[in-house]
Amino acid sequence: MRFISPKTDFAFKKIFGSDQSKDILISFLNAMIYSGNCVIEDLEIIDPYSAGDVVDLKDTYLDVKAVLEDGTTVIIEMQLWNVEAFEKRVVYNLCKTYGNQLKSGQGYFDLNPVIALTITDFKLFPSTEKVISCFYFQEEEDHLPYQENELKLVFVELPKFTKQLEELESLIDKWIFFIKEAPNLEIIPDKLREIPQLEQALTIANQAGLSVSEVEKLRKQEMALEDARRAWSFAKREGREEGRLEEKQQIAKQMKAAGLPLSDIAQYTGLSIDEINQLS
């Protein structure tokens, strides 16, 4: 068996955001947000780029969006690089999703909680070795929660997770291991097969089950992302952590040619969708 990497745009959406992904996403969110407890029993997966959202597309960088049975919205993003203003963008998308719930004539009582779950392939908080970090409003000195469940940020930093297959214990461990190591597996390990939703996720990630067109699309995306990663590394070695505009534009062209969504190209390069559309 050969498994596709859940970190790529195509794979992440196919595994967690497709029609057959409901049970997979429930298990994954219970692990990442609720410490493995079965808090979420049902949800609806929403297209984050539905017709009603198109007008705001340039400000939207989501991979999967779901509404839980209690009305809570969860927005999920897989982020490969720490591009400029990334942390501000996460907060902006959280607040925008919260505020956009109200239609004309609705009152504040109609607002439901929003959780932003962000998985990063880089270390975002160097001052802690915690793999999962959660943030919400609280009083500065006494740490009194203010509307604790209304707005929440959850970050999963993949590089901080170092457990090997034989060390996996919790549902949290197993899902993070899947995100990190799926492409390096040759079979579905018994430790992961114990979780039916994880076995289902790996079945979806099995490259043998993809169509020829899906494999080609995935191959192009992986090549474009690898080229972009090398360009990013070169820029950092040269002391240009944010990258020169010309380099960003070249990376964006490669991604565009590979068929990556404009929102994802903007996410990876820091360029706006308007800037990307102007590239030939």
Side-chain angles (χ1 to χ4, degrees):
M1 291 183 178
R2 183 186 175 195
F3 301 98
I4 59 179
S5 173
K7 297 177 187 178
T8 63
D9 166 79
F10 169 81
F12 195 90
K13 288 181 171 69
K14 186 173 181 65
I15 294 166
F16 294 106
S18 58
D19 293 338
Q20 69 268 39
S21 301
K22 184 176 178 179
D23 290 342
I24 295 173
L25 189 58
I26 288 173
S27 177
F28 179 67
L29 293 181
N30 276 328
M32 297 301 101
I33 298 174
Y34 297 112
S35 302
N37 297 312
C38 296
V39 175
I40 305 169
E41 296 183 355
D42 196 13
L43 56 75
E44 179 184 3
I45 298 174
I46 307 295
D47 180 2
Y49 306 118
S50 59
D53 294 330
V54 168
V55 68
D56 291 326
L57 186 60
K58 70 177 182 178
D59 297 318
T60 302
Y61 304 90
L62 309 177
D63 290 312
V64 177
K65 179 180 179 181
V67 177
L68 310 184
E69 57 188 338
D70 66 354
T72 299
T73 295
V74 181
I75 54 177
I76 308 157
E77 178 184 349
M78 175 74 223
Q79 178 69 24
L80 297 182
W81 302 305
N82 192 3
V83 297
E84 54 188 303
F86 163 67
E87 292 150 293
K88 289 181 178 291
R89 192 185 74 216
V90 173
V91 175
Y92 175 73
N93 281 333
L94 174 72
C95 296
K96 186 185 71 171
T97 303
Y98 185 73
N100 281 355
Q101 294 180 75
L102 292 185
K103 310 301 179 185
S104 178
Q106 288 185 299
Y108 298 119
F109 287 111
D110 294 317
L111 287 169
N112 288 312
V114 177
I115 301 171
L117 170 61
T118 306
I119 304 108
T120 67
D121 203 24
F122 54 87
K123 290 186 178 182
L124 184 61
F125 307 114
S127 61
T128 177
E129 286 304 310
K130 288 181 62 178
V131 177
I132 300 178
S133 301
C134 301
F135 300 86
Y136 56 86
F137 288 118
Q138 62 178 8
E139 201 279 327
E140 186 172 3
E141 293 182 356
D142 296 334
H143 306 294
L144 176 69
Y146 179 83
Q147 296 292 307
E148 178 179 351
N149 296 320
E150 204 71 8
L151 291 172
K152 183 173 289 187
L153 292 162
V154 181
F155 294 92
V156 182
E157 299 172 80
L158 297 179
K160 292 180 178 178
F161 185 84
T162 58
K163 290 186 179 181
Q164 302 302 307
L165 180 62
E166 61 275 10
E167 300 175 293
L168 304 182
E169 297 177 356
S170 67
L171 183 67
I172 300 170
D173 290 346
K174 293 171 184 178
W175 271 116
I176 297 178
F177 182 86
F178 165 73
I179 297 289
K180 281 195 69 176
E181 301 296 340
N184 299 321
L185 299 175
E186 297 181 354
I187 61 170
I188 300 178
D190 290 340
K191 280 215 169 188
L192 301 188
R193 198 184 292 275
E194 293 171 351
I195 311 298
Q197 297 84 359
L198 257 170
E199 182 177 13
Q200 185 183 358
L202 280 161
T203 300
I204 294 175
N206 185 358
Q207 187 166 310
L210 303 180
S211 67
V212 174
S213 61
E214 286 178 323
V215 171
E216 180 63 17
K217 181 177 182 180
L218 176 64
R219 185 187 66 82
K220 287 183 178 179
Q221 287 193 0
E222 287 176 337
M223 290 177 62
L225 290 173
E226 183 56 32
D227 288 344
R229 187 185 292 276
R230 284 197 294 265
W232 227 267
S233 297
F234 177 77
K236 290 191 72 173
R237 286 199 304 271
E238 295 295 308
R240 301 190 302 270
E241 284 80 0
E242 305 300 346
R244 294 185 304 188
L245 178 59
E246 295 84 356
E247 291 168 334
K248 293 181 181 182
Q249 290 173 337
Q250 185 59 39
I251 292 170
K253 287 180 182 179
Q254 293 171 340
M255 292 181 163
K256 196 174 179 182
L260 281 157
L262 296 181
S263 58
D264 294 301
I265 300 173
Q267 170 184 326
Y268 297 138
T269 63
L271 298 175
S272 70
I273 287 183
D274 288 339
E275 290 172 322
I276 296 167
N277 275 328
Q278 293 171 9
L279 299 175
S280 56

